[in-house]
Structure formats: structure tokens, C-alpha cells
């Protein structure tokens, strides 16, 4: 149905209903050249440049609206003639489909070298392809009232948008458009009946299927292939007008201006989004992304409040912490001599030197940690279940209940067709289609898998390099701080451990950004080399590669600190070494949780700040430079299509990267949230800004994307479910093995002898004793000391025990308690998740009732229309008409019973 003869065939069918309309496409049919066409159009309506508005979205006649624009530059290279011939054939075939073209010569463009082909879709084309694409249009205003206001909604008044912005159009009962029932639809004005998003979607559908010649014995078609070969330099629908001023009274409403005023303003960060307006202007696919981002941000509010409460609890109870008090006490922590943290260079040190670090660690490692970890496991389930409900409501509101996959996504990619030399019968269409045998694709699959594995290994190698950096500079920091008298006052705040952790985290973040930049290029290239059959396959393949890599890239260092650092250190005299050179890292006496918090904060915050700056500044600077280069002749008209041409292209993968960024942030919020309860708050603040940044750049800095339909967030929903399950396990392990909460509880209930203060003595109990004389010469500090023992963090027998330096019974008690906690927490959370998923229906009851009501009313309206049509056209007598009425009423009753 995408052949250029569609409209002609339809018209022939209407003129000759009883005859077949077979048409054979002749490639050698004479056609008008671009220059001839331009002259013909100029004769019809002379172009008066001084009288045409810069914001005109119409042809020169001021009547026909521009639905799409193509641009190209003359190519003087050897394939210039071939490109010109392709354009000539392509534009001729576009006219055969019924589209109307108007060409702007390069002499009228600002840079003096770019041609613009303006495309208008007349009513006949729109009506034909609206039926082909199954576009639903209004048949009657809905009598179903909008959902009632929630209790206390008056308190949310400042957050609301004006009603005409939130709901720019009334709700309608809709039906799939058909040319033979035009009277059924609410057509007041044919020129404005189809919204601009539907118009550009229809035109793009034609462009993507229109042929431009036969090369190498194959029929070549599609604007994407012409863009890839640089036959055309760009193809885009026009924005409604300038974003900073409304349209003139005689022109259609400038929805771009409305979006900029009510959505893309940073001062409106607290307002709800005009979702219907976004959908009308950009299409459902982009609209559903902003619905998801807004819903996710709203749900983050509850997690942020609970996380902030847990943080405040830690802040208020920090000074009453027995552990921190003992560490900071000169009579307790000041008298405990700790073993050196590195060989030879590092000296013995007193436990109270980590006083500040222990207090900060308590902020995130207290009794509320367990509660918050369990809460987030339940929160993520509620988020996903409520999102399914929100998605179901959206499907009803946006007429996506009977949605079928977008044809453009299932269309064959030009690259796939170009590489295919075989043909295979399609069992559905019964047509021969390009086919690539598996044995030709397998080598590329192996190369793709090897490339992804290699890059993930490179991430691991980079992480090991950062670990080596931390190990090598720790001794430098330690000796430098000991020797510098000017740093004596700083040592209480910036210990060698903290300095190493901060610099290591910053270095790791820089490495992550660098690897991410190169891998994006590599993954796009390797996905093309796989030669995916359709655009949907291409996007799915790229999603898998990018997510796997970014998962390893962003989370590997956090997983290392959470689950590996300090777990395989050994003990004095028998330390483990990395590559037999660097001694393994140890955790702070208060545990590794504070370091995990530091790592998470730097990577998460740094990524969000860098991402927002990049998204805002990069397109702005690029567009400014492009406009600066273009404005060479100030007397020329800088037209609407040239203004949009100089904007940055959103691209087919623009939305993909937005989803990827959101999903990676979701991982930070859920996978490691037990170590950092402020993560939801940071994500909430970022998303509040992110929504406005995305709105601003999409409305002001990017060309208008081609509208596309989507009824869900696609494969990203499956990824979110997978991360939700993984987050339960990761948080359980963080609480058990990274936090100090389980050892404290074991001491509290099993080993404490102080009934009034059960945790008193925990610090001394958690540190084992080592005889300095047992230290090997190659590890002991050079200076002699007057003490004979030092302490280290572990549960081992003292040197005077016959099993000295082996794990004692308390170690096994603590380990058993950790494993028990993991099992119990996982089972509790998974049980609650299962119950919530079972209790919360995927489709709300009121939405189900509305869907049934709309189906019933649509059937009734169609029934009444058909009866009236039969009565008027067939002119039946009363008996025949009564029989037909009974037949139609039986159909309605049958429809009611099925609904």
C-alpha cells in the first residue's frame, strides 16, 4: 500500500467499482525535472519575497500547508549526476502518489547553495493513507466524564496547568478513518481535520516507501536510503512557528509556542506536564516517554521523603552512637594502636584518627538502613505495578487500545536490502522479500559478541587500573600527610583513606565517561555490521549492547566496593597481594559503606550534571554556529524551513539515549540505595530539571521529529523488571556484607555483657590482636615502637591462642547471621512483591469500564450510520427496511454480549 500508484488505484476503484485497477509501473515514463517543475509552480503563483512572512508554513500561495521539507546541495563529484537522477525520479514518484511539491532554488536560500523541496499532502492523500495506517479520528464527543478529582486536589492547585492547556481538545469517541464513511466523522474543516503530527506521519510513510529507480536489477526505495547516500541532506517536518511568539490570527494555532510557554520553561519546574499537547505535537512515542519520566519522578518523591527521613534520623542520632563515641574517645579509640595500612612506608596509627569518618559512616549505616532497604524493595514493585496501570489508562486516553506495531519499525532497512542477494517468499504477504542466510550473518554475530565482551573486559581492566592507582597512591598520601606539619589540622578531616577514595572515585568517573564516548560509536558501527532486518531489530540489538556495556561501566566500581573490597585482605603477616606487588585494600574500621556512598555519590551526581550540561549546551552551541555560518546575506529571507534546517536533528535514536539515561539512573536508585538513602532525592532533583531540559531542547533546539505511535516503553520495561529483582538481592548483600549492622546485632544479642549499654565494648570486640614481632621484615615499619601488639579489623584468635590468627567462633556466628539475614530479607520482600503484583490489577476497573463503554458507543454510532445510509441510498420499502433493522439490532446485541 506504499507504492506511488496507491492514490491512482483508489481513484480508479471509485470511478470503476466493478473493474480491476491493475497498474504496471513504467520506469521509463517521461517526467518533469526539478527546474521545469519550479518554473511551472512559479507561473501559477509568483513568489513575492518581501511580502512573505519569515514564519510562513505555507506554499507561496499562502493556502497549502507545508507538511514536510527535503533539502539537498548540488554534488560536483563523480556521482553527482546519479544523485540528480535519483532525486528527479523520486520527486516524480512523489507527485504520482498525489503529494504536491514546491521547490526553492538555491539562490533563494540564505547560504546560496541549498535547495529546499516543500511537500504538501492534499485531502485525498491524507484520507487514503489515514485509512491505510488505521488512524483513529473523532466521530462524536464523548459523554464519559473525565476522572473525578482526587481528595484534597485543591491543595495541588498551584501545580496544575490551565484547563485549555492540559486538555486542549475535548474527548471524543473515535473510529478508524475510512474514506467511504467521511460523513460519520466530525469534519469541520478538511485542512485542519488531521493534526499536524498525523500529517507528517502520513507523509513520512509515503517517503519511506516511495521508489526512486532500479539499480543493479533491484527496485530501490525510501527516503532513508537517499539520506544515507547523501542524495538528500535532510528530511524533516516543520515546526508550527517561532517558539517565542504566537501565530498570527489567520494561521493555525502555534502549538510550539504553547509548549514553550507551559512546558519548556525552567520556572515551571513544579508544574504538571501538558501531556495531551505533547502527544498532539510530537506523537505518542515521544509523549509516552515524558509520561514515563513524569510518573517516575512523582514516585521518586515518596522514596525521597523516606530516604531523607532515614538520613535525618542518622544525623540526629549520630552523637549518641556508641560505636562512634568509642572510636572518638581518647581513652578508648585513642589507646587502640592499629596495624599499618601499607608495607614499610605506613606507620602504626591510632583508631581515633578516623573519628570523623566513623561519624559520617553512621549517617548511612544505622538501624534505618535495614528498614530503607526493605522499603525500596516494596517501592520498586509499587512503581512498576502502578506504571502498568498508568500505561493502561494512557492506552485508553490516547486511542492505543487496539494498537498494532508501527509499520515503519517493521519495514526492511535499506542496508539490509542492499546486502541481500537472495529472495524468500513471505508466508504472510506471499511476496518475494530480501533474505540473508544465517551462515552469512553468523560471523558478524561472533564479531559483535567478541567486541562487546572485549569492551566489558576493558571496563574491568580500567577498574583494576583505578584499584592499582588507589593502592599505589595510598602510601604516598599516608607518608606525605605524616611528614607535612602544615597538614596536621587537615588530617582529622582528610585522612589518607578519604583522600584516596575521593581521588579514585573522580578518576573512575572520568574513565567511565571516556569509555562510554568511544563505546557508543563502536556499538552503533557493530550493530550496523550485523545487518539487522528491520528498524525494530536494529534498535533491540543496540539496546542490548548499550545496556550491557553501560551496566558494567557504571556499576562495576560500585559492585567492587560493595562486595569485594576488604573481603579478601588476609591479616598482618599474611596479607594478599594484587599481582604480588600491591597489598589488597582494607576497609575503614567502620566498614566500606562510607566508601560505597562516596563512590555512588560522585558517579551518580557527576553523570547527571554532565548529562544535563551536555544536553543543554551542545545543541545550543551547534545551532548558534550553524546559524552564524548561514546568515551570509542579511537581505535574503531567512525562511521557516531554513530556520528549522539549521537546528540539530533529534535522530531516530534520540529517544533511545533518553531512556538509557533514565534506566541507568534507576539502577543507581535501586541497586545500591541501602548505602545511600539520599539517592532518590538526588534523582528527584535531577529529573525535575531533566524534564525541563528535555522539553527546552526538543522545543527550541531540535528539528521537529517525525511523529510515531507507541503503546508502551517497550523493551525498557523488561529491563526495569530485571533490575527490580536484582536490586532486592544487591541491597540484602550490601546490608549483610558491606554495612556493619549485622556484626553489631550479633554482638548486641550474643556477646555483650553490659546490660545497661549493650553495644559498649563492640569496637574492641571487632578488632583482633596481632603481635608486632610476627610481622615480616619486608612489611614492618622501619622505626621501632614501644608497644608489642597492634589491632586489625577481623574476628581471629589472639597470638597466645593455640589456633592463633585463624578465624574464631564469632566470625562464623557473624557469617551465619549475614546469610540468614539475606535469605529472610529476600523472602520477605519477594513475598510482598508477589502479593502486591497479584492484588494490583494491570488495568484499573474504571478504565476497563470506559473501554467497554466506548466500544459499545462506537458500535452503536456505526450501526445508526449504516442504517441511515441504507435508508437513503437503497430506498428500501418498509418491510425490507424492518428486516435490515432487525439484522443490525441483532448485531448490536451480539456486540453488547461480547463486551
Amino acid at each position: 500500500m506504499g507504492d506511488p500508484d496507491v492514490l491512482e488505484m483508489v481513484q480508479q476503484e471509485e470511478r470503476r467499482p466493478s473493474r480491476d485497477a491493475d497498474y504496471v509501473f513504467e520506469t521509463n515514463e517521461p517526467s518533469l525535472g526539478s527546474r521545469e517543475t519550479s518554473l511551472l509552480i512559479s507561473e501559477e503563483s509568483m513568489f513575492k519575497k518581501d511580502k512573505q512572512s519569515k514564519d510562513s508554513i505555507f506554499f507561496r500561495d499562502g493556502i497549502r500547508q507545508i507538511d514536510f521539507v527535503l533539502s539537498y546541495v548540488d554534488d560536483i563529484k563523480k556521482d553527482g549526476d546519479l544523485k540528480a537522477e535519483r532525486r528527479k525520479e523520486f520527486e516524480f514518484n512523489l507527485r504520482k502518489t498525489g503529494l504536491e511539491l514546491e521547490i526553492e532554488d538555491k539562490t533563494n536560500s540564505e547560504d546560496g547553495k541549498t535547495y529546499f523541496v516543500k511537500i504538501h499532502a492534499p485531502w485525498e492523500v491524507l484520507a487514503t493513507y489515514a485509512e491505510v495506517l488505521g488512524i483513529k479520528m473523532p466521530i462524536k464527543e464523548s459523554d464519559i466524564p473525565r476522572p473525578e478529582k482526587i481528595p484534597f486536589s485543591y491543595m495541588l492547585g498551584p501545580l496544575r496547568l490551565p484547563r485549555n492547556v492540559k486538555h486542549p481538545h475535548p474527548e471524543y469517541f473515535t473510529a478508524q478513518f475510512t474514506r467511504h464513511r467521511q460523513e460519520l466523522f466530525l469534519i469541520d474543516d478538511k485542512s485542519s481535520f488531521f493534526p499536524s503530527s498525523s500529517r507528517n506521519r502520513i507523509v513520512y510513510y509515503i517517503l519511506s516507501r516511495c521508489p526512486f529507480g532500479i539499480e543493479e536489477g533491484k527496485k530501490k526505495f525510501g527516503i532513508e536510503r537517499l539520506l544515507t547516500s547523501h542524495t538528500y541532506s535532510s528530511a524533516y517536518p516543520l515546526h508550527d512557528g517561532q517558539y517565542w511568539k504566537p501565530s498570527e490570527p489567520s494561521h493555525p494555532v502555534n502549538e510550539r509556542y504553547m509548549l514553550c510557554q507551559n512546558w519548556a520553561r525552567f520556572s515551571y519546574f513544579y508544574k504538571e506536564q501538558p501531556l495531551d499537547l505533547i502527544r498532539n505535537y510530537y506523537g505518542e512515542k515521544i509523549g509516552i516517554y515524558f509520561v514515563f519520566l513524569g510518573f517516575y519522578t512523582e514516585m521518586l518523591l515518596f522514596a525521597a521523603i523516606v530516604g531523607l527521613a532515614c538520613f535525618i534520623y542518622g544525623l540526629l542520632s549520630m552523637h549518641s552512637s556508641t560505636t562512634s563515641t568509642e572510636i572518638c574517645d581518647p581513652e578508648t579509640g585513642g589507646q587502640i594502636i592499629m596495624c599499618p595500612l601499607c608495607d614499610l612506608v605506613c606507620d602504626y596509627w591510632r583508631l581515633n584518627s578516623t573519628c570523623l569518618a566513623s561519624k559520617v559512616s553512621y549517617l548511612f549505616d544505622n538501624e534505618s538502613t535495614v528498614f530503607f532497604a526493605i522499603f525500596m524493595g516494596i517501592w520498586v514493585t509499587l512503581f512498576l505495578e502502578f506504571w502498568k496501570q498508568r500505561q493502561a489508562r494512557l492506552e485508553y486516553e490516547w486511542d492505543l487500545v487496539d494498537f498494532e506495531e508501527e509499520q515503519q519499525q517493521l519495514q526492511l532497512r535499506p542496508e539490509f536490502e542492499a546486502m541481500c542477494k537472495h529472495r524468500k517468499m513471505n508466508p504472510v504477504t506471499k511476496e518475494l522479500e530480501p533474505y540473508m542466510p544465517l551462515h552469512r550473518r553468523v560471523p558478524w554475530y561472533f564479531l559483535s559478541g567478541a567486541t562487546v565482551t572485549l569492551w566489558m573486559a576493558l571496563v574491568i581492566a580500567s577498574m583494576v587500573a583505578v584499584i592499582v592507582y588507589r593502592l599505589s597512591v595510598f602510601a604516598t598520601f599516608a607518608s606525605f600527610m605524616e611528614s607535612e606539619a602544615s597538614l596536621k589540622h587537615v588530617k582529622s578531616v582528610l585522612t589518607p583513606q578519604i583522600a584516596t577514595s575521593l581521588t579514585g572515585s573522580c578518576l573512575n568517573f572520568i574513565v567511565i565517561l571516556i569509555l562510554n564516548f568511544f563505546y557508543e560509536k563502536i556499538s552503533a558501527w557493530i550493530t550496523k555490521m550485523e545487518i539487522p532486518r528491520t528498524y525494530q531489530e536494529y534498535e533491540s540489538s543496540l539496546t542490548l549492547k548499550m545496556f550491557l556495556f553501560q551496566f558494567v561501566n557504571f556499576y562495576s566500581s560500585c559492585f567492587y566496593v560493595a562486595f569485594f573490597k576488604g573481603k579478601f585482605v588476609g591479616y598482618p603477616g599474611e596479607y594478599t597481594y594484587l599481582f604480588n606487588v600491591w597489598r589488597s585494600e582494607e576497609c575503614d574500621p567502620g566498614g566500606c559503606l562510607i566508601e560505597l556512598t562516596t563512590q555512588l555519590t560522585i558517579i551518580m551526581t557527576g553523570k547527571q550534571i554532565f548529562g544535563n550540561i551536555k544536553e543543554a549546551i551542545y545543541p545550543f552551541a551547534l545551532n548558534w554556529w550553524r546559524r552564524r555560518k548561514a546568515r551570509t546575506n542579511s537581505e535574503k529571507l531567512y525562511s521557516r524551513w531554513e530556520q528549522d534546517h539549521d537546528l540539530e536533528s533529534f535522530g531516530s535514536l534520540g529517544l533511545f539515549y533518553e531512556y538509557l539515561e533514565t534506566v541507568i539512573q534507576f539502577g543507581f536508585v535501586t541497586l545500591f540505595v541501602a548505602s545511600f538513602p539520599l539517592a532518590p532525592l538526588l534523582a528527584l532533583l535531577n529529573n525535575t530539571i531533566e524534564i525541563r531540559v528535555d522539553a527546552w531542547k526538543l522545543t527550541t533546539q531540535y528539528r521537529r521529529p517525525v511523529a510515531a505511535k507507541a503503546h508502551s516503553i517497550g523493551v525498557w520495561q523488561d529491563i526495569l523488571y530485571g533490575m527490580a529483582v536484582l536490586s532486592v538481592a544487591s541491597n540484602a548483600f550490601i546490608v549483610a556484607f558491606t554495612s556493619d549492622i549485622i556484626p553489631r546485632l550479633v554482638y548486641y544479642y550474643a556477646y555483650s555483657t553490659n546490660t545497661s549499654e549493650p553495644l559498649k565494648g563492640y569496637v574492641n570486640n571487632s578488632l583482633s590482636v596481632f603481635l608486632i614481632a610476627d610481622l615480616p621484615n619486608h612489611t614492618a615499619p622501619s622505626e621501632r615502637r614501644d608497644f608489642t601488639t597492634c589491632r586489625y579489623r577481623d574476628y581471629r584468635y589472639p597470638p597466645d591462642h593455640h589456633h592463633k590468627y585463624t578465624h574464631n567462633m564469632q566470625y562464623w556466628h557473624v557469617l551465619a547471621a549475614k546469610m540468614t539475614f539475606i535469605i529472610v530479607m529476600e523472602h520477605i520482600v519477594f513475598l510482598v512483591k508477589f502479593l502486591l503484583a497479584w492484588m494490583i490489577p494491570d488495568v484499573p476497573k474504571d478504565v476497563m469500564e470506559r473501554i467497554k463503554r466506548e466500544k459499545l458507543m462506537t458500535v452503536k454510532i456505526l450501526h445508526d450510520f449504516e442504517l441511515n445510509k441504507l435508508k437513503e441510498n437503497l430506498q428500501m420499502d418498509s418491510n425490507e427496511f424492518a428486516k435490515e433493522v432487525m439484522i443490525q439490532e441483532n448485531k448490536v446485541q451480539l456486540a453488547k454480549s461480547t463486551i
Side-chain angles (χ1 to χ4, degrees):
M1 197 62 182
D3 195 270
D5 311 314
V6 168
L7 193 66
E8 186 172 344
M9 291 172 65
V10 169
Q11 290 170 345
Q12 288 177 3
E13 285 176 3
E14 290 176 347
R15 291 194 300 266
R16 298 173 299 170
S18 61
R19 295 178 59 186
D20 294 333
D22 297 325
Y23 181 84
V24 180
F25 176 67
E26 299 290 343
T27 57
N28 58 354
E29 187 172 337
S31 61
L32 294 174
S34 298
R35 185 173 298 279
E36 293 172 1
T37 307
S38 182
L39 289 173
L40 287 174
I41 294 173
S42 299
E43 289 174 4
E44 293 175 8
S45 175
M46 294 300 292
F47 175 46
K48 298 180 180 180
K49 184 169 63 178
D50 56 334
K51 293 186 179 180
Q52 188 178 28
S53 168
K54 290 185 178 182
D55 296 329
S56 175
I57 57 173
F58 296 95
F59 276 17
R60 295 168 191 161
D61 57 15
I63 298 173
R64 293 173 293 174
Q65 183 176 339
I66 301 171
D67 295 311
F68 226 88
V69 176
L70 309 177
S71 70
Y72 64 91
V73 178
D74 281 332
D75 198 334
I76 59 175
K77 296 180 181 178
K78 60 181 181 180
D79 56 350
D81 293 338
L82 175 62
K83 292 179 179 178
E85 185 61 32
R86 286 174 176 172
R87 285 193 294 266
K88 180 180 177 182
E89 189 69 23
F90 186 68
E91 290 166 16
F92 171 72
N93 287 330
L94 287 179
R95 291 189 181 93
K96 285 185 67 178
T97 64
L99 294 178
E100 298 174 1
L101 275 60
E102 187 175 77
I103 300 174
E104 290 291 340
D105 193 79
K106 64 181 179 180
T107 55
N108 291 327
S109 64
E110 193 69 29
D111 60 7
K113 56 185 180 182
T114 305
Y115 293 87
F116 291 95
V117 181
K118 300 175 288 185
I119 301 173
H120 167 74
W123 171 257
E124 292 77 11
V125 174
L126 294 173
T128 300
Y129 282 92
E131 185 172 352
V132 171
L133 294 174
I135 295 177
K136 291 185 175 182
M137 298 305 292
I139 56 177
K140 181 182 179 182
E141 190 166 342
S142 175
D143 60 0
I144 306 174
R146 294 186 186 273
E148 296 180 4
K149 294 183 178 180
I150 59 174
F152 307 107
S153 59
Y154 63 89
M155 298 175 62
L156 304 176
L159 310 181
R160 303 293 186 194
L161 288 169
R163 189 173 182 82
N164 66 318
V165 175
K166 185 179 179 181
H167 302 296
H169 304 289
E171 287 191 341
Y172 294 99
F173 293 127
T174 60
Q176 287 193 0
F177 185 81
T178 173
R179 293 169 293 110
H180 303 296
R181 293 176 176 170
Q182 290 190 29
E183 303 86 355
L184 175 66
F185 297 89
L186 302 178
I187 305 175
D188 295 328
D189 181 6
K190 288 185 176 181
S191 63
S192 60
F193 176 65
F194 291 102
S196 57
S197 58
S198 296
R199 295 176 71 101
N200 73 59
R201 182 180 160 218
I202 289 171
V203 174
Y204 182 76
Y205 179 83
I206 298 171
L207 291 173
S208 64
R209 301 172 69 87
C210 183
F212 57 83
I214 297 177
E215 300 174 9
E216 301 175 358
K218 297 179 182 178
K219 189 176 181 180
K220 304 292 184 179
F221 62 89
I223 186 63
E224 292 299 328
R225 184 188 290 277
L226 293 174
L227 291 171
T228 303
S229 63
H230 304 291
T231 303
Y232 288 101
S233 56
S234 61
Y236 54 93
L238 279 186
H239 278 296
D240 278 0
Q242 301 284 13
Y243 62 83
W244 61 81
K245 63 179 181 180
S247 58
E248 298 175 6
S250 59
H251 287 204
V253 175
N254 186 353
E255 291 184 340
R256 186 189 188 192
Y257 170 76
M258 292 178 65
L259 285 170
C260 190
Q261 290 297 307
N262 298 282
W263 181 48
R265 292 168 62 183
F266 292 97
S267 58
Y268 272 38
F269 71 92
Y270 60 93
K271 293 275 191 182
E272 62 182 339
Q273 299 184 80
L275 298 174
D276 287 346
L277 198 59
I278 297 169
R279 174 244 184 164
N280 291 341
Y281 194 72
Y282 291 112
E284 287 82 358
K285 192 170 185 179
I286 288 178
I288 204 168
Y289 162 73
F290 283 102
V291 175
F292 171 73
L293 186 58
F295 181 80
Y296 170 49
T297 304
E298 290 170 9
M299 290 294 291
L300 276 174
L301 179 63
F302 301 102
I305 291 172
V306 176
L308 184 62
C310 292
F311 177 77
I312 292 173
Y313 169 80
L315 194 65
L316 296 176
S317 61
M318 182 171 60
H319 296 290
S320 61
S321 168
T322 306
T323 305
S324 298
T325 303
E326 287 189 346
I327 291 175
C328 297
D329 187 4
E331 299 300 322
T332 306
Q335 300 302 315
I336 296 177
I337 306 299
M338 301 296 293
C339 297
L341 293 172
C342 61
D343 296 340
L344 295 175
V345 181
C346 295
D347 201 355
Y348 301 98
W349 53 286
R350 297 187 182 274
L351 184 60
N352 66 346
S353 64
T354 62
C355 175
L356 181 63
S358 68
K359 289 182 177 180
V360 174
S361 179
Y362 181 80
L363 282 174
F364 308 103
D365 188 7
N366 53 65
E367 293 79 7
S368 66
T369 303
V370 179
F371 164 76
F372 192 60
I374 296 174
F375 169 81
M376 286 303 293
I378 297 171
W379 174 87
V380 74
T381 303
L382 290 172
F383 164 66
L384 292 172
E385 291 302 318
F386 286 145
W387 167 246
K388 283 196 289 188
Q389 287 200 337
R390 182 70 181 93
Q391 205 164 246
R393 192 177 297 277
L394 201 67
E395 287 182 17
Y396 163 73
E397 292 174 353
W398 287 2
D399 281 329
L400 300 169
V401 175
D402 301 320
F403 172 80
E404 294 182 3
E405 192 63 50
E406 191 77 354
Q407 288 296 321
Q408 283 91 327
Q409 285 294 94
L410 299 177
Q411 186 180 337
L412 297 180
R413 297 175 67 245
E415 294 85 349
F416 177 81
E417 293 184 272
M419 296 293 291
C420 287
K421 296 182 179 178
H422 299 80
R423 297 259 166 183
K424 185 179 180 181
M425 180 71 72
N426 187 314
V428 178
T429 62
K430 298 300 180 183
E431 295 179 356
L432 287 175
E433 289 187 352
Y435 167 72
M436 182 169 289
L438 183 62
H439 68 269
R440 287 197 58 194
R441 305 176 77 171
V442 165
W444 289 109
Y445 287 143
F446 274 113
L447 177 61
S448 175
T451 304
V452 174
T453 305
L454 176 66
W455 274 85
M456 287 196 290
L458 185 61
V459 171
I460 304 299
S462 302
M463 185 186 70
V464 172
V466 173
I467 294 171
V468 169
Y469 160 82
R470 291 153 66 115
L471 294 173
S472 58
V473 302
F474 178 80
T476 306
F477 277 128
S479 59
F480 179 71
M481 289 183 173
E482 284 292 332
S483 59
E484 284 290 328
S486 59
L487 296 177
K488 294 293 183 184
H489 300 292
V490 182
K491 281 177 63 180
S492 61
V493 178
L494 192 67
T495 62
Q497 294 98 317
I498 294 176
T500 305
S501 177
L502 286 173
T503 57
S505 298
C506 293
L507 178 63
N508 188 56
F509 174 65
I510 294 170
V511 170
I512 285 172
L513 293 181
I514 294 172
L515 289 176
N516 202 46
F517 173 79
F518 285 107
Y519 184 76
E520 281 186 8
K521 313 295 182 186
I522 296 291
S523 61
W525 175 79
I526 202 69
T527 305
K528 287 181 181 178
M529 291 300 101
E530 289 177 6
I531 321 174
R533 186 171 179 272
T534 64
Y535 291 102
Q536 189 178 55
E537 288 180 13
Y538 175 84
E539 193 167 319
S540 298
S541 179
L542 184 63
T543 299
L544 179 64
K545 292 183 186 63
M546 286 298 297
F547 176 74
L548 282 177
F549 175 79
Q550 293 220 4
F551 185 91
V552 175
N553 195 24
F554 281 102
Y555 302 145
S556 57
S557 57
C558 294
F559 274 110
Y560 162 73
V561 175
F563 306 125
F564 296 99
K565 183 180 177 182
K567 307 298 185 294
F568 312 101
V569 176
Y571 60 93
E574 291 292 335
Y575 285 117
T576 57
Y577 288 81
L578 183 65
F579 305 128
N580 293 322
V581 178
W582 294 283
R583 202 173 99 185
S584 297
E585 286 186 286
E586 293 184 53
C587 290
D588 188 88
C592 274
L593 197 73
I594 184 61
E595 189 166 340
L596 176 60
T597 303
T598 305
Q599 185 90 1
L600 187 66
T601 306
I602 290 175
I603 295 177
M604 182 180 177
T605 307
K607 180 184 182 302
Q608 292 179 163
I609 293 174
F610 177 79
N612 281 327
I613 291 175
K614 177 186 172 185
E615 288 183 11
I617 292 179
Y618 174 74
F620 180 80
L622 208 63
N623 291 337
W624 174 82
W625 178 250
R626 197 179 285 121
R627 285 193 298 268
R628 188 174 180 273
K629 285 176 63 180
R631 300 301 299 273
T632 53
N633 300 301
S634 58
E635 73 278 1
K636 288 188 179 291
L637 177 67
Y638 195 47
S639 58
R640 170 81 264 137
W641 47 90
E642 288 180 279
Q643 294 172 42
D644 283 10
H645 178 264
D646 290 342
L647 295 176
E648 185 70 5
S649 174
F650 189 65
S652 58
L653 295 176
L655 212 56
F656 165 82
Y657 288 110
E658 298 294 345
Y659 274 119
L660 183 62
E661 180 184 357
T662 305
V663 168
I664 293 297
Q665 185 208 76
F666 180 81
F668 281 121
V669 169
T670 55
L671 293 175
F672 309 100
V673 76
S675 67
F676 189 39
L678 292 180
L681 179 61
L682 291 180
L684 174 67
L685 296 175
N686 172 78
N687 288 0
T688 305
I689 299 171
E690 174 82 13
I691 289 172
R692 305 302 160 178
V693 169
D694 286 349
W696 173 79
K697 71 180 185 183
L698 203 59
T699 308
T700 67
Q701 302 302 312
Y702 281 94
R703 294 174 190 158
R704 185 175 182 175
V706 178
K709 276 188 174 291
H711 72 297
S712 69
I713 59 175
V715 69
W716 298 109
Q717 190 153 332
D718 298 326
I719 292 175
L720 291 175
Y721 274 105
M723 294 182 79
V725 173
L726 182 60
S727 69
V728 177
S730 66
N731 282 304
F733 274 88
I734 286 172
V735 173
F737 287 98
T738 310
S739 166
D740 210 32
I741 191 75
I742 302 299
R744 287 204 297 264
L745 289 173
V746 170
Y747 177 81
Y748 184 96
Y749 289 107
Y751 290 90
S752 177
T753 57
N754 192 327
T755 54
S756 59
E757 294 182 72
L759 279 176
K760 193 166 185 179
Y762 166 73
V763 173
N764 185 61
N765 174 266
S766 65
L767 299 173
S768 299
V769 180
F770 187 81
L771 189 65
I772 291 177
D774 291 340
L775 275 176
N777 292 330
H778 66 278
T779 63
S782 55
E783 296 183 18
R784 295 286 180 182
R785 298 295 182 184
D786 56 356
F787 39 81
T788 58
T789 61
C790 64
R791 310 293 292 273
Y792 62 98
R793 181 180 171 81
D794 208 342
Y795 294 103
R796 293 179 183 270
Y797 288 113
D800 56 355
H801 196 275
H802 63 280
H803 291 304
K804 71 173 185 177
Y805 305 142
T806 60
H807 286 124
N808 59 22
M809 190 55 65
Q810 188 173 352
Y811 169 83
W812 300 109
H813 288 166
V814 170
L815 182 61
K818 289 179 177 180
M819 299 307 297
T820 303
F821 172 81
I822 291 171
I823 294 170
V824 171
M825 178 180 165
E826 285 187 351
H827 279 71
I828 290 175
V829 175
F830 280 129
L831 179 62
V832 174
K833 284 168 71 73
F834 172 77
L835 289 175
L836 288 173
W838 175 71
M839 291 169 60
I840 301 173
D842 291 350
V843 182
K845 184 180 178 181
D846 66 307
V847 173
M848 187 70 73
E849 291 172 350
R850 287 165 175 268
I851 292 173
K852 290 179 179 180
R853 169 68 178 167
E854 181 159 346
K855 284 184 177 180
L856 180 64
M857 289 301 299
T858 303
V859 170
K860 186 177 183 302
I861 293 169
L862 291 173
H863 159 256
D864 293 342
F865 174 79
E866 291 296 339
L867 283 183
N868 291 331
K869 194 172 182 181
L870 283 170
K871 186 176 179 180
E872 293 173 3
N873 297 340
L874 300 180
Q875 297 179 350
M876 295 187 300
D877 59 34
S878 58
N879 292 332
E880 291 176 337
F881 183 69
K883 290 179 182 178
E884 188 64 32
V885 167
M886 289 179 63
I887 293 171
Q888 293 296 332
E889 287 179 348
N890 287 336
K891 287 182 180 180
V892 173
Q893 292 299 325
L894 181 62
K896 286 182 179 180
S897 63
T898 57
I899 291 173

